[in-house]
C-alpha cells in the first residue's frame, strides 16, 4: 500500500515540550496552508517523488511526564515569540487531538515498576495508538530534555532507553534527536540487531554545531590549521534548566566536540560552555571563537554569533526524520540509516562534513524514489 494512501503516526517522547509542540502546531499550519514549510528539507524538490507520507497524513501522540495541555503550551510559546501570533487558536483542534493521545511517561518519583514493566506499558501505549487510529506505522521520536549519561554499572536503564526499548518491542522505527542514551546501551544491542527496523540518531544538529559542521571543512580544504575552537551557549527554557546539570551538559557537549574532531582529524583546544539564562526563554545565543594559522604562521581569528530559537530550528527537522523513517520502513529498509547523518551531531556512521552528508541524503531520496 502506498504511503500516500494511509496515515502515519508520530509519537514524541517529550510530547508537551517546546520542540514537540512546535512540530505539532507547525505541521497543522503547513498542512492547512497557513505557513510555508521553511526548514523542512523533505519539502524541497529533490524529495518530491520519494513517496514520503504527506504532511497532512501525520497523526501525533506521545509520552510525557508533564500535564500542561498542548493548546496551553502553544499559547505560552506564541507569547514568547516562538509560534506566530494567532497560530495556537488557528490549529487548536489539531493540538487538542494530539494532546488526547499523550500518555503518562516515567519513571516518575515513587514509581515502583521495574524496567520490564515500564517498557511493556510504553509499548502497549504505542500499539494501542497505532491500532485505534488505523495507522500504517508509527515512528517514535525522542525530543525530551537531555539526560545525564548513565553511571558505569547502573542497574536501571535510563528513561530514554526504556522508551527506545518500547519502540523496538512495538515494531516502531526510532529517532533519537537528543544526546541521551536511547538505543546506545549494551543492554539493548541484541534487541537492536534483531529488530529489523530502521533507526537514526543521535543528537539533532540545529544551531551552533550546524555552523561548525560547515566551517570546519572550510579550514581543512584551505589547509588552514585550527589552533583552538571555543564556544559559549546562552539559553533558557526547559533545555537551559536541564543543561544546568553538569552531567547533562557534558552529554550535550560531547556531540559538539565530536563534529570538530571528526572533521579536523583531532579535537582542537577549547571548550563549549552552556549557561542557563531563564530570561531568554526558548531563544539561544551561541558564540564561537576560532583561532587558526595562515600562511607563514600568521595568527588569525574568526568569531561567529548565532541567535535563534532551537524549537523552531528543530521542529522541521523532526518532521523530516519522521517522514523519512516512515518511508524507509515502508521500503523494507532496516538498521541504522547513515544517510540521515545530515541531521545529527553523532550520526550512525556516514561522512562528517555537512556538504557530504547532504549528498548522501539526496542519494537516499533517489533510492526511495526507485523503490516506489
Amino acid at each position: 500500500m502506498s504511503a500516500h494512501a494511509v496515515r502515519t503516526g508520530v509519537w514524541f517522547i517529550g510530547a508537551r515540550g517546546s520542540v514537540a509542540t512546535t512540530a505539532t502546531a507547525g505541521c497543522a499550519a503547513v498542512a492547512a496552508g497557513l505557513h510555508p514549510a521553511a526548514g523542512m528539507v523533505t519539502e524541497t524538490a529533490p524529495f518530491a517523488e520519494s513517496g514520503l507520507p504527506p504532511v497532512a497524513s501525520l497523526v501525533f501522540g506521545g509520552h510525557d511526564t508533564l500535564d500542561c495541555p498542548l493548546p496551553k503550551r502553544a499559547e505560552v510559546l506564541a507569547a514568547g515569540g516562538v509560534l506566530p501570533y494567532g497560530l495556537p487558536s488557528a490549529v487548536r483542534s489539531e493540538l487538542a487531538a494530539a494532546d488526547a493521545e499523550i500518555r503518562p511517561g516515567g519513571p516518575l518519583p515513587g514509581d515502583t515498576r521495574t524496567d520490564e514493566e515500564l517498557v511493556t506499558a510504553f509499548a502497549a501505549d504505542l500499539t494501542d495508538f497505532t491500532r485505534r487510529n488505523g495507522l500504517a506505522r508509527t515512528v517514535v521520536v525522542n525530543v525530551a530534555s537531555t539526560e545525564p549519561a548513565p553511571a558505569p554499572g547502573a542497574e536501571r536503564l535510563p528513561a530514554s532507553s526504556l522508551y527506545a526499548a518500547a519502540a523496538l518491542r512495538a515494531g516502531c522505527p526510532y529517532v533519537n534527536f537528543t544526546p541521551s542514551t536511547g538505543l546506545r546501551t549494551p543492554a539493548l544491542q541484541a534487541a537492536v540487531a534483531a529488530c529489523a527496523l530502521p533507526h537514526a540518531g543521535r543528537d539533532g544538529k540545529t544551531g551552533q554545531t550546524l555552523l561548525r559542521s560547515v566551517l570546519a571543512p572550510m579550514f581543512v580544504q584551505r589547509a588552514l590549521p585550527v589552533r583552538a575552537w571555543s564556544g559559549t551557549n546562552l539559553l533558557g527554557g526547559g533545555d537551559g534548566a536541564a543543561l544546568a546539570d553538569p552531567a547533562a551538559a557534558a552529554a550535550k557537549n560531547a556531540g559538539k566536540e565530536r563534529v570538530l574532531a571528526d572533521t579536523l582529524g583531532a579535537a582542537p583546544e577549547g571548550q563549549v560552555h552552556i549557561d542557563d539564562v531563564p530570561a531568554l526563554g526558548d531563544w539561544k545565543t551561541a558564540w564561537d571563537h576560532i583561532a587558526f594559522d595562515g600562511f607563514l604562521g600568521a595568527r588569525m581569528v574568526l568569531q561567529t554569533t548565532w541567535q535563534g530559537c532551537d524549537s523552531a530550528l528543530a521542529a522541521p527537522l523532526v518532521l523530516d526524520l519522521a517522514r523519512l523513517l516512515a518511508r524507509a520502513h515502508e521500503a523494507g529498509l532496516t538498521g541504522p540509516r547513515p544517510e540521515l547523518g545530515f541531521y545529527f551531531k553523532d550520526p550512525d556512521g556516514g561522512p562528517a562534513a555537512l556538504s557530504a552528508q547532504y549528498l548522501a541524503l539526496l542519494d537516499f531520496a533517489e533510492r526511495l524514489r526507485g523503490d516506489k
Side-chain angles (χ1 to χ4, degrees):
M1 182 180 292
S2 168
H4 291 290
V6 298
R7 298 198 303 167
T8 297
V10 179
W11 187 269
F12 286 129
I13 308 304
R16 292 190 172 112
S18 296
V19 174
T21 305
T22 303
T24 304
C27 183
V30 170
L34 300 177
H35 289 273
M40 288 188 67
V41 181
T42 53
E43 284 295 288
T44 60
F47 297 85
E49 302 299 328
S50 296
L52 303 180
V55 172
S57 75
L58 302 181
V59 180
F60 295 94
H63 282 118
D64 209 317
T65 56
L66 303 177
D67 58 8
C68 178
L70 278 182
K72 178 63 176 178
R73 185 77 180 96
E75 290 173 2
V76 172
L77 291 176
V82 178
L83 296 179
Y85 175 79
L87 182 62
S89 296
V91 298
R92 179 172 294 276
S93 62
E94 290 89 342
L95 290 169
D99 191 70
E101 297 289 355
I102 297 176
R103 300 295 178 262
L108 291 167
D111 194 334
T112 60
R113 288 177 292 177
T114 65
D115 285 358
E116 175 59 26
E117 289 171 332
L118 287 163
V119 171
T120 298
F122 296 157
D125 290 337
L126 281 163
T127 302
D128 180 62
F129 171 71
T130 304
R131 178 189 56 78
R132 283 188 298 98
N133 289 284
L135 307 175
R137 57 192 50 82
T138 295
V139 179
V140 176
V141 185
N142 182 13
V143 289
S145 296
T146 300
E147 65 187 14
E155 295 183 1
R156 298 292 300 264
L157 286 174
S160 66
S161 296
L162 297 175
Y163 292 121
L168 300 185
R169 187 170 299 183
C172 298
Y174 173 82
V175 177
N176 187 4
F177 204 72
T178 80
S180 301
T181 304
L183 293 177
R184 296 192 189 181
T185 173
L188 295 183
Q189 292 316 294
V192 171
C195 72
L197 293 166
H199 53 88
R202 172 172 66 172
D203 198 3
K205 185 165 53 185
T206 58
Q208 183 181 43
T209 310
L210 174 66
L211 190 58
R212 287 179 165 210
S213 66
V214 173
L215 290 175
M218 176 192 73
F219 289 104
V220 173
Q221 293 160 10
R222 292 296 297 268
L224 298 171
V226 174
R227 294 186 294 110
W229 198 315
S230 302
T232 295
N233 277 256
L234 308 175
L235 71 160
D239 270 357
L243 295 173
D245 179 349
K252 184 73 172 178
N253 283 337
K256 294 177 179 290
E257 295 165 359
R258 187 177 297 108
V259 168
L260 295 182
D262 289 349
T263 306
L264 300 176
E269 292 181 6
Q271 296 179 330
V272 176
H273 298 276
I274 300 177
D275 294 327
D276 178 26
V277 185
L280 293 180
D282 286 279
W283 297 83
K284 181 171 79 173
T285 296
W287 171 77
D288 273 58
H289 183 282
I290 308 160
F292 64 99
D293 289 339
F295 191 52
L296 303 179
R299 295 293 179 94
M300 290 181 264
V301 169
L302 172 65
Q303 296 186 44
T304 66
T305 302
W306 176 289
Q307 293 179 302
C309 174
D310 256 3
S311 301
L313 289 165
L317 308 184
V318 165
L319 295 173
D320 277 352
L321 285 162
R323 299 173 77 198
L324 287 162
L325 261 291
R327 180 71 182 99
H329 186 247
E330 182 191 37
L333 302 179
T334 63
R337 304 315 312 172
E339 307 94 338
L340 302 183
F342 174 75
Y343 292 98
F344 297 102
K345 298 182 182 74
D346 183 14
D348 293 312
L354 189 70
S355 57
Q357 290 175 336
Y358 181 62
L359 292 176
L361 182 62
L362 295 184
D363 287 342
F364 189 53
E366 182 65 32
R367 181 177 180 183
L368 295 178
R369 277 196 294 275
D371 182 75
K372 289 176 61 180

